[in-house]
Amino acid sequence: MIKIIQLATAEQIIAEVDEISYELTNPLFINIQQTEKGPNIQLFPYNLIAAGNIILNPDQIIWMADPEQKLLNQYQEIFSKIITPPKKDNITPIK
């Protein structure tokens, strides 16, 4: 399942998690910045120098939770094999 993990180091990660072995697949670091328009969430690769999956020490996990839908969609879009065009809000239909 895809989960958000808060580590004892204060890092937050989103990844596919095996909740028995604590193995992470496709982990991304969650960077939250406050802006004038509210929080801005950016996702960055977590294991730039490791080959393969990461296994966490469960003693370092503070909490684990399901991501809210918008973040889940962003995560799934990053790892999707389907290429989608950018979303345009101001599309005028052809008559």
Side-chain angles (χ1 to χ4, degrees):
M1 297 188 78
I2 298 172
K3 297 283 188 180
I4 296 174
I5 302 164
Q6 174 79 41
L7 299 177
T9 57
E11 295 169 300
Q12 288 185 346
I13 300 170
I14 183 169
E16 293 178 49
V17 180
D18 180 322
E19 293 183 52
I20 296 170
S21 67
Y22 297 100
E23 183 174 2
L24 305 183
T25 304
N26 298 326
L28 296 175
F29 172 73
I30 301 171
N31 182 39
I32 302 173
Q33 296 178 333
Q34 286 296 337
T35 67
E36 293 176 3
K37 296 180 182 180
N40 180 32
I41 297 175
Q42 297 173 315
L43 302 175
F44 297 99
Y46 188 72
N47 62 341
L48 290 174
I49 58 173
N53 296 340
I54 293 174
I55 299 176
L56 285 181
N57 177 347
D59 294 338
Q60 296 300 309
I61 298 173
I62 302 300
W63 55 261
M64 205 176 337
D66 294 327
E68 58 93 29
Q69 191 61 48
K70 188 175 178 181
L71 181 59
L72 177 63
N73 292 347
Q74 184 179 355
Y75 177 85
Q76 290 174 327
E77 188 175 294
I78 290 169
F79 292 106
S80 173
K81 304 285 188 233
I82 300 170
I83 299 172
T84 57
K87 294 178 183 159
K88 304 260 182 179
D89 292 334
N90 300 331
I91 296 177
T92 305
I94 299 174
K95 294 182 181 183

